[in-house]
């Protein structure tokens, strides 16, 4: 049985099912008549725990029938029974069931005792399930109870702040922005560091198109001992996503809907028209200012009140031997930045059929259509960047010129940001089919064979059209039409044979199997220019062909897997995994990698010397070791590839030519991560307080690194197995039921500390994260963590000249530092990250407060280089009002100097404290009482209001501290360069089931 520590969500949990009976209603369900009698006695009562708390969601069933009821939010139940009586079976997850004879009574109150051995929550692991009490690896779980209290737009947001050791960052706040997940740190430099996602047994890399409302639970395999069975793809951790399936009982209809509003929670103060004219005069930019008399607030014009709406309808149930879950959903978001939006349709079907007592068939099907309209971010205004455009565009101009074209900077042909949001058609659409079919055969005694075939197919398209008449660049190019398509096809076929046996106090589980995977990726791109009009926006209307390309890539993996689980008397636990994995990305002699793991657990609380310790419910020590692999590198990297385009003339005719594009490296092999984990799990005080701690050490060797080559080879670099990374850390998670009874208070807290270090890159410094006209800001160097900022040390402003001076490597002041004077100026890695959730409940009212934060990280605010540089005619923030103007001025803002970057080099001046504490979500909900719902034949009805990002406590001066201009980069971290900010959201919703 599953242990539930949160009574306020017990009702939801009970839909999962208990034993052979599952119920969808919090009220009395319609009984099924027995053969002999009639149902004309109504029994009511209250079900409580041994501590007096109402067991919301407990099951009350009539033994021998399918008739039953679910205990409501007030702890009461109501059930019809035959006039001659019967026996009630009262069950609740984690408590000892009771059977009570009716004997003509109409009121029966029941107190259930805690089951001291009920620490058996079923957790999804690789190629199977396991009871939590038997897990020996580092596995975090997030169940539907943890996220159904508030709406979510994508899967990764369900995890953020909920699992220790799992860092979830959003590189921007635009609609549909994917979240970057790092499990126990960044594991590579050039190879991928994203975890593997497995949805109902089908691996995938993109979860944006999945509907979070369809998800039942998420398991996160954090250490090598738990993830090694995924071998090739488990080096960065594994996220197992299990979707909802039908449960026993009558059909259950659920409707979930919400509407929301969003806005940018913080704006920047920029110069007004008068202040801008004053700065331009100081820089030597002069014009007829009588032509520029506007005072436009570009932030007000581009930032808007966004909106969202979501509708989800599902039908689920189980009749006889058929289980089904069917859902459809639609979500639309209009972003807080003009023209940005996202639209998603989804359809889900899960079907399981018990054909007979030895054969089971099933399928999981998900179809989605995802579309979004992006805005240009992380670019300067002269590159079309919208966010920097709202800060850099002068307030003295309006939207349009008299001829209908967009206005530009008075001194440069830099158009206002509306030209980027309204001057071009931009759209991305992805149609995706994700699903599997499976068959299970049980034979002999304890043997089970399972065959599963899964596919992930998507067809995406991006359209772009730049108006040939409205924008200056469009006029110069006479319009631009661009169409790109991507088609991906992934197939997996896995076959496993398992054997489970108990004899005496011994329990053994064995699993062997094979996995075959095939991936095909195709793309095509077409771009034309010279459009006669804006009436036809497809590339076919352009008279000048600029480019036409097409690419096709395929690869394959094959693996043999094995696992042994051993349990003696529930005290001594052992798990061993092995996977042999072959990848076509490596040379013929290096394709196979071998990934073993071993973990053990000791449930000390089952020992005789602790059995009589009443306050102790569970104490388990864990230890694990394993190796996992990573093949996320360039396709065909080991081959000597041939490039096209080396054309040459013969007799005045240009002939097509090719050239050797890369150097062959047949020794290219797996990147491997070896990890050791030590952990402890404690549950005390009748399971009201639980604590988990883990310590880990992870060494990644043979990095798949783009390393420099000697110039004599004729190549600059190639992918090689060079280098070593290390991650080590501590994780702590605490869950407590602080108050029980009518008023409940539950708390979940997690905190994690990770330290990353580049152990070896063969003495080669590498640089990443280029800032326009300032060079690269991020450094990779032996002995330092990834995400180090590298630049100049800002000393201050010389009072006599107003010029910025810097501290060179000798510790002396200089106005003209050299590249050798650069130093370590910041670290984007936090000291620790944490999440805190408090749930309060009183009868049907519930308040949930979710706090999330990071501490000790730096942000390089490159936006300020643009808005405080004072070297060109861009508008600036009001910080420059404190600039140096005359000899003797004491300030930290240098003088304005046209066309010179000397005063705004990438330096400590732009490094800021990125720590923050955020009220990530606050939800107030109300469940209507069952006594009222019974009258209208509704099982549950919940109304709620949620506020997201309501408060953010930070010293960071930019729009938002949760940003990164370089997305999911492993090396360029914590850089803000005109990034779409996070938004504050207000959501009103309704959940109904019947």
């Amino acid at each position: 049985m599953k242990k539930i520590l949160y009574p306020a969500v017990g009702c939801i949990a009970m839909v999962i099912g208990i034993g052979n009976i599952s119920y969808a209603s919090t009220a009395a369900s319609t009984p099924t008549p027995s053969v002999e009698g009639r149902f004309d006695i109504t029994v009511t009562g209250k079900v409580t725990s041994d501590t007096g708390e109402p067991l919301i969601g407990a099951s009350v069933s009539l033994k021998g029938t399918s008739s039953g009821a679910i205990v409501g939010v007030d702890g009461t139940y109501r059930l019809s029974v035959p006039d001659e009586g019967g026996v009630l079976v009262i069950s609740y997850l984690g408590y000892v069931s009771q059977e009570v004879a009716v004997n003509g009574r109409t009121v029966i109150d029941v107190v259930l005792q805690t089951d001291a051995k009920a620490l058996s929550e079923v957790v999804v692991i690789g190629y199977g399930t396991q009871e939590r009490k038997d897990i020996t690896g580092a596995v975090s779980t997030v169940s539907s109870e943890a996220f159904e209290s508030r709406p979510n737009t994508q899967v990764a947001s369900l995890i953020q702040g909920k699992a220790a050791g799992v860092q979830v960052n959003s590189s921007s706040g635009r609609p549909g922005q994917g979240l970057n997940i790092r499990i126990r740190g960044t594991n590579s430099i050039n190879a991928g560091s994203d975890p593997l996602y497995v949805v109902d047994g089908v691996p995938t890399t993109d979860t944006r198109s999945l509907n979070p409302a369809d998800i039942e639970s998420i398991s996160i395999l954090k250490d090598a001992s738990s993830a090694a069975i995924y071998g090739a793809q488990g080096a960065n951790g594994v996220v197992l996503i299990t979707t909802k399936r039908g449960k026993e009982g009558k059909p259950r209809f659920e409707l979930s809907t919400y509407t929301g509003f969003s806005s940018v929670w913080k704006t920047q103060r920029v110069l007004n028209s008068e202040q801008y004219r004053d700065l331009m005069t100081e820089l030597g930019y002069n014009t007829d200012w009588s032509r520029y008399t506007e005072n436009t607030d570009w932030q007000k014009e581009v930032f808007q009140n966004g909106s969202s709406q979501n509708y989800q309808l599902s039908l689920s149930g189980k009749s006889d031997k058929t289980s089904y879950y069917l859902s459809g959903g639609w979500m639309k978001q209009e972003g807080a930045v003009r023209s940005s939006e996202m639209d998603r349709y989804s359809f889900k079907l899960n079907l399981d059929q018990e054909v007979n007592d030895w054969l089971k068939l099933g399928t999981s099907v998900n179809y989605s259509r995802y579309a979004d309209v992006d805005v240009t971010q992380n670019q300067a205004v002269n590159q079309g960047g919208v966010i920097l455009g709202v800060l850099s565009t002068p307030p003295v101009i309006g939207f349009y010129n008299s001829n209908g074209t967009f206005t530009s900077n008075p001194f440069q042909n830099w158009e206002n940001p509306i030209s980027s949001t309204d001057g071009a058609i931009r759209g991305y659409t992805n149609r995706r089919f994700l699903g599997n079919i499976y068959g299970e055969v049980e034979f002999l005694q304890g043997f089970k064979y399972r065959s599963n075939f899964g596919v992930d197919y998507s067809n995406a398209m991006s359209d772009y059209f730049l108006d040939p008449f409205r924008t200056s660049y469009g006029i110069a190019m006479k319009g631009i039409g661009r169409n790109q398509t991507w088609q991906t096809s992934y197939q997996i076929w896995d076959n496993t044979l398992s054997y489970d046996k108990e004899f005496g106090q011994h329990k053994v589980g064995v699993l062997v199997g094979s996995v075959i995977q095939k991936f095909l990726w195709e793309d095509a791109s077409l771009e034309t220019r010279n459009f006669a009009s804006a009436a036809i926006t497809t590339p076919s209307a352009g008279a000048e062909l600029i480019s036409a390309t097409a690419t096709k890539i395929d690869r394959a993996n094959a693996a043999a897997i094995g696992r042994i689980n051993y349990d003696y008397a529930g005290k001594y636990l052992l798990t061993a995994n092995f996977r042999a994995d072959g990848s076509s990305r490596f040379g013929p002699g290096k394709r196979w990698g071998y990934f073993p793991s071993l973990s053990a657990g000791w449930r000390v609380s089952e020992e005789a010397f602790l059995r009589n310790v009443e306050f102790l419910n569970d104490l388990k020590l864990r230890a694990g070791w394993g190796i996992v692999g990573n093949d996320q590198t360039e396709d065909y990297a080991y081959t000597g590839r041939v490039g096209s385009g080396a054309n040459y003339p013969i007799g005045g005719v240009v002939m097509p030519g090719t050239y050797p594009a890369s150097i062959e490296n047949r020794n290219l092999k797996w990147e491997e991560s070896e990890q050791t984990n030590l952990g402890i799990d404690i549950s005390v005080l009748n399971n009201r307080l639980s604590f988990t701690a883990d310590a880990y050490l992870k060494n990644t060797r043979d990095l798949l690194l783009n390393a420099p080559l000697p110039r004599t080879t004729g190549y600059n670099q190639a992918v090689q197995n060079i280098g070593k990374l290390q991650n080590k850390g501590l994780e702590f998670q605490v869950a407590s039921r602080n108050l029980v009874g009518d008023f409940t208070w539950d708390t979940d807290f997690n905190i994690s500390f990770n330290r990353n270090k580049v152990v070896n890159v063969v003495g080669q410094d590498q640089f990443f994260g280029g800032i326009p006209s300032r060079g690269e800001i991020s450094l990779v160097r032996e002995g330092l963590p990834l995400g180090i900022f590298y630049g100049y040390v800002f000393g201050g402003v010389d009072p006599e000249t107003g010029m910025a001076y810097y501290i060179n490597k000798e510790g002396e002041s200089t106005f003209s530092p050299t590249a050798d004077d650069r130093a370590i100026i910041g670290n984007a890695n936090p000291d620790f990250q944490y999440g805190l959730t408090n749930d309060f409940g009183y009868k049907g009212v519930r308040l949930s407060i979710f706090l999330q934060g990071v501490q000790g990280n730096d942000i390089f605010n490159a936006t300020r280089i643009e808005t405080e540089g004072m070297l060109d005619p861009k508008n600036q923030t009001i910080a420059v009002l404190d600039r140096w103007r005359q000899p003797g001025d004491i300030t930290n803002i240098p003088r304005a100097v046209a066309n010179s970057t000397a005063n705004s080099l990438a330096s400590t001046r732009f490094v800021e404290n990125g720590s923050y504490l955020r009220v990530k979500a606050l939800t107030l909900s109300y469940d209507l009482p069952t006594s009222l719902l019974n009258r209208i034949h509704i099982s549950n009805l919940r109304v709620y209001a949620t506020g997201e990002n309501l408060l953010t406590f930070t010293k960071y001066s930019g729009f938002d501290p949760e940003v990164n201009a370089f997305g999911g980069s492993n090396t360029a971290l914590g850089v803000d360069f005109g990034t779409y900010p996070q938004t504050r959201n207000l959501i009103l919703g309704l959940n109904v089931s019947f």
Side-chain angles (χ1 to χ4, degrees), residues 488-790:
T488 60
S489 175
Y490 171 83
Q491 301 173 15
I492 181 172
W493 184 30
D494 56 71
N495 294 271
T496 58
L497 176 65
S498 61
Y499 173 71
D500 294 286
K501 177 68 174 178
E502 291 188 40
F503 48 98
Q505 293 186 301
H506 303 273
K507 183 188 297 184
V508 176
V510 179
L511 179 142
V512 295
S514 65
V515 182
I516 299 174
Q517 302 174 76
K518 180 73 173 178
F519 177 86
L520 175 65
W521 182 81
E522 300 177 69
D523 82 315
S525 176
L526 178 67
E527 180 176 333
T528 62
R529 298 178 185 173
N530 198 355
F531 284 73
S533 73
I536 302 176
T537 61
T538 56
S540 59
E544 181 183 2
L545 176 64
I546 302 301
S547 66
T549 62
T551 305
K552 182 181 290 187
I553 295 172
D554 66 348
R555 65 175 182 267
N557 287 71
I561 61 175
R563 178 172 59 216
I564 298 176
N565 292 320
Y566 174 72
D567 174 351
Y568 176 72
K571 292 188 292 187
Y572 310 116
L573 312 168
L574 182 69
T575 300
N577 291 283
F578 181 79
R579 176 160 175 151
D581 225 314
S583 173
S584 65
R585 278 178 160 160
F586 304 119
K590 300 290 184 179
R591 285 181 175 165
W592 286 90
Y594 304 96
F595 308 109
S597 74
L598 182 67
S599 59
W602 177 25
R603 292 194 69 206
V604 188
S605 56
E606 290 298 300
E607 297 290 354
F609 58 85
L610 285 179
R611 284 180 182 170
N612 295 325
V613 180
E614 294 185 359
F615 72 88
L616 181 65
N617 300 105
D618 187 58
L619 171 60
K620 181 172 65 177
L621 303 180
R622 295 177 282 106
W625 168 89
I627 299 175
V628 285
N630 190 350
D631 68 345
Q632 296 183 44
T633 187
E634 300 174 17
D635 290 290
Y636 315 114
Y638 76 93
T639 61
R641 286 166 287 180
V642 176
S644 62
N647 304 333
Y648 58 95
I650 294 181
V653 179
V654 177
M655 303 297 292
T658 59
Y659 65 96
S662 65
I663 193 169
E664 184 179 74
N665 180 10
R666 286 183 169 264
N667 291 319
L668 193 67
K669 61 180 183 179
W670 291 89
E671 179 179 289
E672 293 184 346
S673 292
E674 181 179 4
Q675 186 173 165
T676 302
N677 189 90
L678 298 175
I680 183 172
D681 303 320
I682 304 175
S683 181
V684 298
L685 302 177
N686 206 18
N687 295 315
R688 287 181 58 180
L689 178 63
S690 60
F691 171 79
T692 297
D694 282 273
Y696 61 89
L697 175 65
K698 179 164 53 175
N699 290 305
T700 305
R701 58 179 179 261
D702 296 326
L703 297 179
L704 292 166
L705 187 68
N706 280 315
L709 292 173
R711 292 194 176 186
T712 54
T713 64
Y715 300 92
N716 294 324
Q717 62 182 18
V719 179
Q720 305 174 59
N721 291 109
I722 290 178
K724 182 178 179 181
L725 277 178
Q726 183 183 89
N727 284 278
K728 58 183 179 181
L730 299 171
E731 302 168 356
F732 303 96
Q733 191 140 355
V734 180
S736 67
R737 292 189 296 167
N738 308 311
L739 295 175
V740 296
D742 287 341
F743 181 79
T744 63
W745 173 22
D746 300 337
T747 298
D748 278 310
F749 174 72
N750 69 82
I751 187 170
S752 54
F753 306 79
N754 183 77
R755 297 294 179 265
N756 172 277
K757 184 171 69 172
V758 178
V759 178
N760 179 19
V761 282
V762 219
Q764 298 279 347
D765 285 355
Q766 295 194 36
F767 300 92
F768 301 88
I771 306 298
S773 303
R774 304 304 191 282
E776 289 142 324
I777 189 64
S778 296
L779 168 69
V780 173
R781 174 181 290 174
E782 289 179 3
L784 299 176
L786 298 174
I788 287 293
F789 298 139
Y790 194 65

Side-chain angles (χ1 to χ4, degrees), residues 774 776-779 781 784 787-794 806-807 821-828 857-861 865 905-913:
R774 304 304 191 282
E776 289 142 324
I777 189 64
S778 296
L779 168 69
R781 174 181 290 174
L784 299 176
I788 287 293
F789 298 139
Y790 194 65
Y792 299 98
V793 178
F794 179 70
Y806 304 87
I807 307 302
D821 292 322
R822 289 180 297 172
I824 297 169
I825 60 174
N827 184 353
N857 61 302
D858 294 319
I859 294 178
F860 187 81
N861 191 348
I865 292 179
L905 299 178
S907 69
T908 53
R909 176 184 169 193
F910 304 111
V911 177
E912 300 186 36
N913 184 350

Side-chain angles (χ1 to χ4, degrees), residues 280-352:
M280 292 302 101
T281 301
E282 193 171 325
L283 282 168
Y285 291 102
N286 295 300
T287 187
D288 180 4
W289 291 109
S290 64
R291 299 169 51 202
Y292 303 99
T293 58
E294 302 284 346
N295 192 20
T296 305
D297 183 345
W298 290 107
Q299 292 180 88
K300 183 178 179 181
E301 300 300 336
V302 173
F303 295 154
Q304 62 183 12
N305 290 324
S307 64
S308 63
Q309 51 184 318
N310 179 80
Y311 302 92
Q312 166 87 7
L313 181 64
S314 67
L315 168 65
S316 63
K318 184 175 183 181
S319 57
D320 195 12
K321 295 183 178 182
T322 302
S323 168
Y324 55 92
Y325 174 85
L326 175 67
S327 76
W330 174 62
M331 178 185 179
K332 183 176 179 62
Q333 274 188 302
E334 293 184 358
V337 175
R338 184 172 176 142
S339 83
S340 63
E341 63 181 48
M342 185 268 280
D343 188 274
R344 182 182 67 208
Y345 296 88
S346 64
F347 171 83
K348 178 69 177 176
L349 171 65
N350 286 341
L351 185 64
D352 302 285

Side-chain angles (χ1 to χ4, degrees), residues 341-390:
E341 63 181 48
M342 185 268 280
D343 188 274
R344 182 182 67 208
Y345 296 88
S346 64
F347 171 83
K348 178 69 177 176
L349 171 65
N350 286 341
L351 185 64
D352 302 285
Q353 176 67 49
E354 297 178 20
V355 179
N356 49 45
D357 58 359
W358 58 268
L359 177 62
K360 183 178 180 180
L361 302 175
T363 185
S364 295
V365 175
N366 185 83
Y367 175 79
S368 62
R369 178 191 177 276
Y370 172 91
D372 67 34
V373 176
D374 199 1
V375 296
T376 305
Q377 57 177 336
N378 307 317
Q379 300 285 346
V381 62
N382 48 309
Q383 298 169 312
V386 174
I387 307 303
L388 278 173
V390 303

